[in-house]
C-alpha cells in the first residue's frame, strides 16, 4: 500500500503507543535479549536484563541476498551461540560469495547479529544478519512462557502506569531537547513543539493502545515510512516478526554529506538494540536522527495495527518481485554488455575490412605503377639495346675487340647499374656487374647469374633473370655499351697498358719453364705421398698410432641466432672433452642441447651423429665447429709400411729418375766445382765438420702466407727444427710437425712431405734447404776459415773455389733448362681469363667463376647461398682449396655435402674446358 508522510505530532503519538504497548506487556524485546520494562517486574519471561537464555538446539533461517537466498544455521546452548554456518554460494563471486567466514567471526564475537557488514557486500551482509536474527528469535521463542489470568492484568496495569511515567519523562526530554537545540533551524524548533503537544495526546491513546496489545506485538512483515529531514525526506524500512524488530534500513542519502548522510548504520543499530524508536540519536545530526526515529515509529505503528499492509502473501509477492527485478537487471546488464561487445566487434571488423580494402587498393595501385614503369624502362632498354646491337654489328667487320677492360652504366630500377668487361681480341674474358643499389633480394642478387649468361653467350643478347626484368635489361644495355667500346676505336687501352701487358707476358714466359719443371716434380711427389697417405688413412689409428696433436682447439660456427664457440680437447688418440657456449641460442631449444649433442659426438668420436630434434640449426653449428677443431688437431700420418713401399715403388722410382735428371743437369752446369751431398756425407764419415753450429732462419712462400723455418745445427747434425705455418689453410695449418719429423729423421729435405698439402710442404722444405745452405761450411785446399755460403737455390751444394764464372755458367744452364722446359711444355695450358659455369646442386643452381693464367688455376669464386644452410652452403672454402691445391677437380669433396661438392667440381671442370680452348 502507499505510504504517507507523517507529522511530528503523529510521530510522537506513535512512539508513545509503542511505549505503552511494550509497557503493557512488561517486556521490551532487544535482538536475542528480553528486557523487563520496570524494576521488580515478576514477568515469567525466560530472559532477564543483561543476559541471554536460549532453548538449546540448532536453528536455520534464510533471507534474500543480492542474487540468491542466503542461509544461516545457528547452534545454541542455554546461554550462548556456539556455532554458526552460512551459505552464500549463490551471491556475487568475489564479493558477497566470499564474506561468509568474516561475518561468522563477527557474529560469534558479538554473540549477536548487531555487527558491521562487509564493505562492498552490504546487501549480502544484511541478509546474513537478518537470517541470524531469525535464528535467535527461534531460539529465544522456544523458552518464552505465556502470561495468563490475573498476572497479565496486573502487568497491564503496571504497564499503563509505567507508560504514563515514561510519557511524562518523554515530555521532559523533549523540552530539554528543545532548550539544547535552540541553535537549530526553525524546522527543528517546530518539531520540538509538536513533540511537546503530543505529550497531552498520548494519555488519550494509552487505553486504546493497551487494548490493541492483547495479542502479539507485531503483525510479521516489512513496513516502510518516511519523515522530513533537514535536507530531504528520510525513509526507513523495518522488518518484524510477531515479537521483535528483525532489521532496520535507513535511507539518509539526501541529508547533509558528512553529517546526516552518514548516520544510517549507527541509528539503525541503536533502534535494533533498543527494539524501539526511543533512542538517543546521533550527536551533531539531531534533525536527521529525529526524522529517522519518527519514520521508525510510523512503521512500527503500522506493524502493531490491524491495518498492516504486509501479510505473508504480500511479503512472498514482494520477495518474488524483488527477485524478478534482480534477475531482470542482471539479464539487462548482460544483454547490454553483450550488445556492447557485439557492437565493438562489428565496428572492429568493419574498420579492419576497410583498412584491408584500402591496403589492397594501394598495393594494386603501386604494383600497376611499378609495372607501367618497368614496361616503359624495358621498352627504353630494349630500344637502346637494339641500337647498340646495330652499332656492334657494324663495328664487327675487323678484329672483334680491342683487348682491354671496359666499363659502362645504365639506369636500373633503383640505381645506375655498372658492368665491367675484360676482353682479348676474340672473346669476353670476364664480366663484373655492380647491381648493389638495386632492390634487395631481387635486382641486387642477379649479378653472378647475369655475368654467367653474358660469358656463356659471349654477347649481351641474353635472357636476363626472371622477376628482375628492369635490372636485367640495364645490365644488358651496359654490357652492350662496354662491348661497343671494345669494338670501336675508343677503347681505353693506352700504350702504357700494352707495355705493361707485354711485361707481364714476358715474365710469365720466363717463369713458365721453372713452374713446369716444379709441377712435374710435384706431380711425382704427390703421387707417392697420396699413395702413402691413402694407406695411412685406411689403417687409421687401429694400430695405436698417433692420430691427433694433443691440446685444446677452438672454432666457431653460426647458429640460429648467435655465433657458437666450441673448445675441443684431444689426447693423441681421440677427443675427451668438449666445452661450448650456446647462451645466445633460443632459450628452451638450442640453448639447452649442449650436453646431449656433445655426449653423442664424444661417444661416436665423430661429428657424424644425429642432431637434437627441434634444434637442427644449432646442432649443425656445433658439429661444424667440432669438425673444424678435428681438422686442426688431425695429424696426417705418412708413415710407410712394407706393403705401401711395394705398392708405391714404381712411383718412387719415377720420382728418383726425375730428381736424378735434375741433379745431372746441375752437375753438368757446375762442371766439377760442386761437392755433392754424397761427398759431404763422406766428409762426415771422415770426422770433418759439415755445419757451422748455430740456429738459422729462412722463409718461403706458402699457399696463403709466408712459411718461416728455424733450424738448429751442431757440427754434424740438424738437431732441432721449427716451422711456423699458422697463416696457412686451417685444415693443413698443423702439418709442420709431421714434415719436421721427417726432415729430422732423414737429416735431409729429401722427404715425402704431406699429401694434399703440397704447396705448404714445399714451402717448409724450401725454407729448410735455405737454412741448411746457410749452415754448410765451405773449405778450401789450404784449410782456410769456414765461410757460410749457398742459398735457397743450391741447398745441398758446397762451392770449393771462387765460383763467379761458375755461377754465370750455372745461370746459363738454368736458362737452358727453362728453354728446354718451354720446348717440352709447348703451348700455354690455358687461355688467361675468368670463365663462368653452372651446375645443379642439392637445392639450387650453383654458379662458379674460375680465373686462369696461362699455366694454372689461381682463383675460384662461387655462389652456394641456395644450398642447405650449415652443410652445402658452407663448403666453398674447403672444396675450392682442394681444387686449387690439386690444380684439378680430381679431389675428394666435402663429407656430408657430396651433391654440392660434385656440382662445384662439375662447374669448375666446365670452366677448365673453356679455358683450354673449347670456347672457340
Amino acid at each position: 500500500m502507499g505510504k504517507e508522510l507523517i507529522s511530528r505530532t503523529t510521530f510522537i503519538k506513535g512512539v508513545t503507543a509503542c511505549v505503552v504497548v511494550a509497557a503493557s506487556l512488561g517486556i521490551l524485546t532487544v535482538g536475542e535479549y528480553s528486557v523487563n520494562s520496570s524494576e521488580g517486574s515478576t514477568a515469567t519471561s525466560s530472559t532477564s536484563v543483561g543476559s541471554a537464555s536460549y532453548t538449546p538446539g540448532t536453528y536455520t533461517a534464510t533471507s534474500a541476498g543480492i542474487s540468491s537466498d542466503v542461509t544461516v544455521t545457528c547452534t545454541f546452548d542455554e546461554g550462548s551461540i556456539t556455532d554458526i554456518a552460512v551459505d552464500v554460494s549463490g551471491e556475487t563471486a568475489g564479493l558477497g560469495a566470499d564474506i561468509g567466514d568474516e561475518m561468522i567471526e563477527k557474529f560469534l564475537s558479538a554473540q549477536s547479529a548487531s555487527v558491521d557488514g562487509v564493505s562492498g557486500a552490504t546487501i549480502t551482509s544484511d541478509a546474513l544478519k537478518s537470517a541470524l536474527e531469525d535464528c535467535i528469535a527461534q531460539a529465544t521463542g522456544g523458552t518464552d512462557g505465556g502470561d495468563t489470568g490475573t498476572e497479565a492484568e496486573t502487568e497491564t496495569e503496571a504497564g499503563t502506569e509505567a507508560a504514563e511515567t515514561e510519557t511524562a519523562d518523554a515530555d521532559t526530554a523533549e523540552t530539554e531537547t528543545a532548550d539544547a537545540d535552540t541553535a537549530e533551524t526553525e524546522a527543528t524548533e517546530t518539531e520540538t513543539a509538536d513533540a511537546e503537544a503530543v505529550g497531552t495526546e498520548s494519555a488519550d491513546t494509552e487505553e486504546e493502545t493497551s487494548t490493541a496489545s492483547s495479542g502479539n506485538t507485531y503483525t510479521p512483515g516489512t513496513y516502510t515510512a518516511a519523515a522530513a529531514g533537514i535536507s530531504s525526506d528520510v525513509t526507513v524500512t523495518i522488518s518484524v516478526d510477531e515479537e521483535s524488530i528483525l532489521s532496520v534500513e535507513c535511507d539518509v542519502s539526501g541529508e547533509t554529506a558528512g553529517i546526516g548522510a552518514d548516520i544510517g548504520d549507527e541509528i539503525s543499530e541503536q533502534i535494533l538494540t533498543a527494539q524501539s524508536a526511543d533512542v538517543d540519536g546521533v550527536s551533531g545530526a539531531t534533525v536527521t536522527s529525529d526524522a529517522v526515529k519518527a519514520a521508525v515509529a510510523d512503521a512500527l505503528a503500522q506493524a502493531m495495527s490491524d491495518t498492516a499492509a504486509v501479510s505473508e502473501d504480500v511479503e512472498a509477492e514482494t520477495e518474488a518481485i524483488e527477485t524478478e527485478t534482480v534477475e531482470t537487471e542482471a539479464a539487462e546488464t548482460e544483454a547490454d554488455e553483450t550488445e556492447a561487445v557485439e557492437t565493438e566487434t562489428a565496428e572492429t571488423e568493419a574498420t579492419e575490412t576497410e583498412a584491408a580494402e584500402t591496403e589492397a587498393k594501394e598495393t594494386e595501385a603501386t604494383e600497376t605503377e611499378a609495372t607501367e614503369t618497368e614496361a616503359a624502362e624495358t621498352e627504353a632498354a630494349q630500344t637502346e639495346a637494339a641500337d647498340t646491337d646495330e652499332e656492334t654489328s657494324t663495328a664487327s667487320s675487323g678484329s672483334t675487340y680491342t683487348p682491354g677492360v671496359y666499363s659502362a652504366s645504365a639506369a636500373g630500377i633503383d640505381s645506375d647499374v655498372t658492368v665491367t668487361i675484360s676482353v682479348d681480341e676474340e672473346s669476353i674474358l670476364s664480366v663484373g656487374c655492380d647491381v648493389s643499389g638495386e632492390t634487395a633480394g631481387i635486382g641486387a642478387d642477379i649479378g653472378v647469374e647475369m655475368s654467367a649468361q653474358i660469358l656463356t653467350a659471349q654477347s649481351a643478347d641474353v635472357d636476363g633473370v626472371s622477376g628482375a626484368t628492369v635490372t636485367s635489361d640495364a645490365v644488358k644495355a651496359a654490357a652492350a655499351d662496354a662491348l661497343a667500346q671494345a669494338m670501336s676505336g675508343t677503347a681505353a687501352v693506352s700504350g702504357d697498358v700494352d707495355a705493361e701487358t707485354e711485361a707481364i707476358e714476358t715474365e710469365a714466359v720466363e717463369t713458365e719453364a721453372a713452374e713446369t719443371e716444379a709441377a712435374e716434380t710435384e706431380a711425382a711427389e704427390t703421387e707417392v705421398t697420396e699413395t702413402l697417405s691413402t694407406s695411412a688413412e685406411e689403417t687409421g689409428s687401429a694400430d695405436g698410432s698417433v692420430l691427433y696433436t694433443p691440446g685444446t682447439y677452438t672454432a666457431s660456427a653460426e647458429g640460429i641466432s648467435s655465433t657458437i664457440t666450441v673448445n675441443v680437447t684431444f689426447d693423441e688418440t681421440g677427443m675427451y672433452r668438449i666445452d661450448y657456449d650456446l647462451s645466445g641460442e633460443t632459450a628452451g631449444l638450442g640453448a639447452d642441447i649442449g650436453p646431449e649433442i656433445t655426449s653423442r659426438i664424444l661417444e661416436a668420436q665423430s661429428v657424424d651423429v644425429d642432431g637434437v630434434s627441434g634444434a637442427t640449426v644449432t646442432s649443425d653449428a656445433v658439429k661444424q665447429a667440432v669438425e673444424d677443431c678435428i681438422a686442426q688437431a688431425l695429424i696426417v700420418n705418412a708413415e710407410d709400411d712394407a706393403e705401401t713401399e711395394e705398392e708405391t715403388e714404381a712411383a718412387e722410382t719415377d720420382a728418383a729418375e726425375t730428381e736424378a735428371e735434375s741433379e745431372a743437369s746441375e752437375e753438368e752446369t757446375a762442371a766439377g766445382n760442386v761437392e755433392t751431398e754424397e761427398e759431404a756425407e763422406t766428409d762426415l764419415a771422415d770426422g770433418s765438420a759439415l755445419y757451422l753450429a748455430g740456429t738459422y732462419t729462412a722463409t718461403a712462400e706458402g699457399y696463403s702466407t709466408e712459411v718461416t723455418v728455424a733450424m738448429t745445427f751442431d757440427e754434424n747434425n740438424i738437431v732441432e727444427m721449427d716451422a711456423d705455418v699458422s697463416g696457412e689453410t686451417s685444415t693443413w695449418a698443423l702439418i709442420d710437425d709431421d714434415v719436421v719429423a721427417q726432415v729430422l729423421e732423414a737429416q735431409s729435405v729429401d722427404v715425402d712431405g704431406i699429401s694434399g698439402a703440397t704447396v705448404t710442404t714445399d714451402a717448409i722444405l724450401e725454407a729448410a734447404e735455405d737454412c741448411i745452405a746457410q749452415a754448410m761450411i765451405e773449405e778450401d785446399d789450404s784449410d782456410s776459415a769456414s765461410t757460410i755460403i749457398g742459398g735457397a737455390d743450391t741447398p745441398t751444394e758446397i762451392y770449393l773455389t771462387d765460383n763467379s764464372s761458375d755461377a754465370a755458367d750455372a745461370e746459363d744452364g738454368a736458362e737452358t733448362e727453362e728453354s728446354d722446359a718451354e720446348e717440352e711444355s709447348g703451348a700455354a695450358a690455358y687461355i688467361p681469363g675468368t670463365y663462368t659455369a653452372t651446375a645443379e646442386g642439392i637445392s639450387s643452381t650453383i654458379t662458379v667463376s674460375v680465373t686462369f693464367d696461362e699455366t694454372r688455376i689461381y682463383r675460384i669464386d662461387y655462389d652456394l647461398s641456395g644450398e642447405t644452410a650449415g652443410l652445402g652452403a658452407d663448403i666453398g672454402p674447403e672444396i675450392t682449396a682442394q681444387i686449387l691445391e690439386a690444380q684439378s677437380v680430381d679431389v675428394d669433396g666435402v663429407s656430408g655435402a657430396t651433391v654440392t661438392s660434385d656440382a662445384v667440381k662439375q662447374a669448375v671442370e666446365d670452366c677448365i674446358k673453356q679455358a683450354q680452348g673449347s670456347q672457340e
Side-chain angles (χ1 to χ4, degrees):
M1 59 179 275
K3 302 294 184 293
E4 297 178 355
L5 298 180
I6 63 172
S7 66
R8 298 299 178 187
T9 301
T10 304
F11 160 63
I12 298 301
K13 287 181 180 180
V15 172
T16 303
C18 292
V19 173
V20 169
V21 172
S24 67
L25 293 175
I27 299 172
L28 290 176
T29 304
V30 184
E32 68 268 32
Y33 300 101
S34 296
V35 183
N36 290 334
S37 61
S38 63
E39 290 185 25
S41 175
T42 59
T44 60
S45 174
S46 63
T47 306
S48 61
V49 176
S51 64
S53 178
Y54 306 111
T55 300
T58 299
Y59 302 87
T60 300
T62 61
S63 181
I66 187 71
S67 53
S68 67
D69 285 344
V70 300
T71 302
V72 174
T73 301
C74 191
T75 302
F76 299 84
D77 60 16
E78 292 181 349
S80 65
I81 304 170
T82 60
D83 187 35
I84 299 174
V86 301
D87 179 6
V88 289
S89 58
E91 296 297 272
T92 307
L95 294 173
D98 297 344
I99 70 171
D101 291 342
E102 186 174 349
M103 289 300 292
I104 288 172
E105 184 177 353
K106 290 182 176 182
F107 290 152
L108 289 172
S109 177
Q111 285 289 302
S112 164
S114 184
V115 297
D116 292 334
V118 177
S119 177
T122 305
I123 296 177
T124 305
S125 299
D126 291 343
L128 287 173
K129 292 193 284 184
S130 176
L132 178 59
E133 288 170 347
D134 194 359
C135 290
I136 292 171
Q138 295 176 52
T140 55
T143 60
D144 286 344
D147 294 324
T148 60
T150 305
E151 290 179 348
E153 293 174 0
T154 302
E155 288 174 2
T156 299
E157 292 173 0
T160 300
E161 182 179 351
E164 292 171 351
T165 303
E166 288 181 10
T167 300
D169 292 340
D171 291 342
T172 302
E174 293 293 343
T175 301
E176 291 174 354
T177 300
D179 293 336
D181 295 334
T182 54
E184 292 278 23
T185 64
E186 183 177 354
T188 304
E189 293 173 352
T190 301
E191 291 170 6
T192 304
D194 290 341
E196 291 174 352
V198 169
T200 304
E201 295 177 1
S202 64
D204 297 335
T205 61
E206 287 176 5
E207 183 177 353
E208 179 183 347
T209 302
S210 179
T211 302
S213 65
S214 58
N216 292 329
T217 305
Y218 306 117
T219 300
T222 300
Y223 302 88
T224 300
I230 195 163
S231 306
S232 66
D233 285 344
V234 171
T235 302
V236 174
T237 301
I238 64 172
S239 177
V240 297
D241 60 12
E242 293 179 346
E243 297 179 351
S244 62
I245 304 170
L246 301 178
S247 67
V248 179
E249 292 185 3
C250 301
D251 180 4
V252 291
S253 58
E255 295 297 272
T256 306
I259 304 176
D262 296 344
I263 72 169
D265 290 342
E266 184 174 350
I267 197 162
S268 294
E269 186 173 354
Q270 290 181 18
I271 292 167
L272 278 171
T273 302
Q275 286 290 298
S276 166
D278 185 16
V279 295
D280 292 335
V282 178
S283 176
T286 305
V287 176
T288 304
S289 297
D290 289 343
V292 171
K293 292 191 285 183
V296 170
D298 189 4
L300 289 175
Q302 296 176 46
M304 289 186 292
S305 71
D306 292 333
T307 61
V310 183
S311 65
E312 291 182 0
D313 293 339
V314 174
E315 182 178 357
E317 183 178 353
T318 301
E319 182 177 351
I321 292 171
E322 290 174 349
T323 302
E324 182 179 357
T325 301
V326 171
E327 292 173 350
T328 301
E329 290 177 354
E332 290 175 350
T333 301
E334 183 177 358
D336 290 343
E337 291 174 351
T338 302
E339 182 179 357
V341 171
E342 291 174 350
T343 301
E344 182 178 356
T345 302
E347 291 174 351
T348 301
E349 290 177 353
T351 301
E352 291 175 350
T353 301
E354 183 179 352
E357 291 174 351
T358 301
E359 183 178 356
K361 290 178 181 177
E362 291 174 351
T363 301
E364 182 178 356
T366 301
E367 291 175 349
T368 301
E369 182 179 353
T371 302
E372 292 172 352
T373 302
E374 183 176 346
E377 291 173 345
T378 300
E379 183 177 354
Q382 289 173 345
T383 302
E384 183 177 354
D387 295 341
T388 304
D389 288 343
E390 184 177 354
E391 292 175 4
T392 302
S393 176
T394 303
S396 63
S397 57
S399 296
T400 306
Y401 305 116
T402 300
V405 178
Y406 304 87
S407 293
S409 298
I413 194 161
D414 296 319
S415 65
D416 284 345
V417 171
T418 301
V419 175
T420 302
I421 296 180
S422 175
V423 297
D424 60 14
E425 292 182 348
E426 297 181 350
S427 62
I428 303 170
L429 301 179
S430 67
V431 179
C433 300
D434 180 4
V435 290
S436 58
E438 295 296 271
T439 306
I442 304 177
D445 296 345
I446 71 169
V448 173
E449 186 172 348
M450 286 299 296
S451 296
Q453 289 185 21
I454 294 168
L455 277 170
T456 301
Q458 288 289 298
S459 166
D461 185 13
V462 296
D463 293 334
V465 178
S466 176
T469 306
V470 177
T471 305
S472 297
D473 289 342
V475 170
K476 292 191 288 183
D481 190 4
L483 291 173
Q485 295 176 41
M487 290 186 289
S488 71
T490 60
V493 181
S494 66
D496 291 339
V497 174
D498 288 339
E500 184 178 351
T501 301
E502 183 178 354
I504 292 172
E505 291 174 350
T506 301
E507 183 179 355
V509 170
E510 291 174 350
T511 59
E512 181 180 352
E515 289 177 348
T516 300
E517 181 179 355
E520 290 174 351
T521 302
E522 178 181 333
E525 292 176 350
T526 299
E527 185 177 355
V528 174
T529 54
E530 283 180 350
T531 303
L532 294 173
S533 178
T534 300
S535 175
E537 290 174 359
E538 289 174 353
T539 58
S541 59
D543 58 356
S545 60
V546 173
L547 188 59
Y548 301 107
T549 300
T552 298
Y553 301 86
T554 301
S556 299
E558 289 302 316
I560 190 72
S561 54
S562 66
T563 300
I564 293 170
T565 301
V566 171
N567 297 319
V568 184
T569 303
F570 297 81
D571 59 16
E572 292 182 341
T573 60
M575 297 177 275
Y576 68 87
R577 176 172 177 172
I578 301 176
D579 297 307
Y580 49 85
D581 179 8
L582 306 181
S583 59
E585 296 297 275
T586 306
L589 293 174
D592 299 340
I593 70 167
E596 184 172 353
I597 188 67
T598 54
S599 64
R600 291 179 184 179
I601 293 171
L602 288 171
E603 182 177 356
Q605 285 293 299
S606 167
V607 295
D608 188 15
V609 298
D610 292 332
V612 178
S613 177
T616 305
V617 176
T618 304
S619 298
D620 290 343
V622 171
K623 293 194 287 183
Q624 180 183 339
V626 172
E627 186 174 24
D628 193 4
C629 292
I630 291 172
Q632 296 176 46
L634 184 66
I635 294 176
V636 179
N637 191 350
E639 185 177 336
D640 295 344
D641 56 22
E643 183 178 355
T644 302
E645 288 180 3
E646 291 177 3
E647 292 176 350
T648 60
E649 183 177 354
E652 290 175 340
T653 300
D654 291 341
E657 289 175 354
T658 300
E659 183 177 356
E661 291 174 0
S662 177
E663 288 178 355
S665 176
E666 291 170 354
E667 288 173 359
E668 291 173 1
T669 302
N673 293 325
V674 179
E675 181 181 30
T676 65
E677 187 174 348
E678 288 79 0
E679 292 170 337
E681 290 175 354
T682 301
D683 290 340
L684 179 61
D686 294 341
S688 58
L690 183 60
Y691 304 114
L692 182 64
T695 299
Y696 303 86
T697 301
T699 61
E701 192 65 34
Y703 181 76
S704 303
T705 60
E706 283 191 343
V707 171
T708 301
V709 171
M711 300 180 73
T712 301
F713 300 81
D714 61 15
E715 291 182 348
N716 298 311
N717 299 285
I718 306 169
V719 295
E720 187 176 351
M721 175 178 174
D722 291 314
D724 179 6
V725 292
S726 58
E728 293 296 271
T729 305
S730 62
T731 306
W732 306 111
L734 293 172
I735 68 167
D736 57 306
D737 289 342
D738 203 4
V739 176
V740 167
Q742 293 182 34
V743 172
L744 289 173
E745 182 178 356
Q747 287 291 301
S748 166
V749 295
D750 185 16
V751 296
D752 293 331
I754 302 300
S755 174
T758 308
V759 176
T760 303
T761 300
D762 288 347
I764 294 173
L765 297 178
E766 181 182 341
E769 285 178 334
D770 194 0
C771 291
I772 291 172
Q774 295 176 49
M776 296 196 67
I777 298 174
E778 177 186 8
E779 296 179 357
D780 57 22
D781 293 337
S782 60
D783 294 330
S784 60
S786 299
T787 305
I788 300 173
I789 65 166
D793 294 330
T794 56
T796 59
E797 297 174 353
I798 303 175
Y799 292 90
L800 302 178
T801 60
D802 180 9
N803 55 8
S804 58
S805 61
D806 294 335
D809 292 341
E811 183 175 351
D812 291 339
E815 291 177 356
T816 301
E817 288 180 6
E818 289 179 359
S819 177
D820 293 340
E822 289 177 4
E823 291 176 1
E824 291 176 4
S825 62
Y830 304 112
I831 299 173
T834 299
Y835 302 86
T836 299
T838 61
E840 289 303 317
I842 189 71
S843 54
S844 67
T845 299
I846 293 170
T847 301
V848 172
S849 295
V850 184
T851 303
F852 300 81
D853 60 17
E854 292 182 341
T855 60
R856 65 187 178 119
I857 306 167
Y858 70 87
R859 176 171 177 172
I860 301 175
D861 297 305
Y862 50 85
D863 179 8
L864 305 181
S865 59
E867 295 298 273
T868 307
L871 294 173
D874 298 340
I875 71 167
E878 184 172 350
I879 186 67
T880 55
Q882 291 182 22
I883 294 171
L884 287 168
E885 183 80 18
Q887 287 290 302
S888 166
V889 295
D890 187 16
V891 296
D892 292 334
V894 179
S895 175
T898 305
V899 176
T900 306
S901 298
D902 290 343
V904 172
K905 293 193 288 183
Q906 180 184 337
V908 172
E909 186 174 22
D910 192 3
C911 292
I912 291 173
K913 290 177 180 179
Q914 295 178 46
Q916 288 173 337
S918 62
Q919 79 275 19
E920 292 178 356

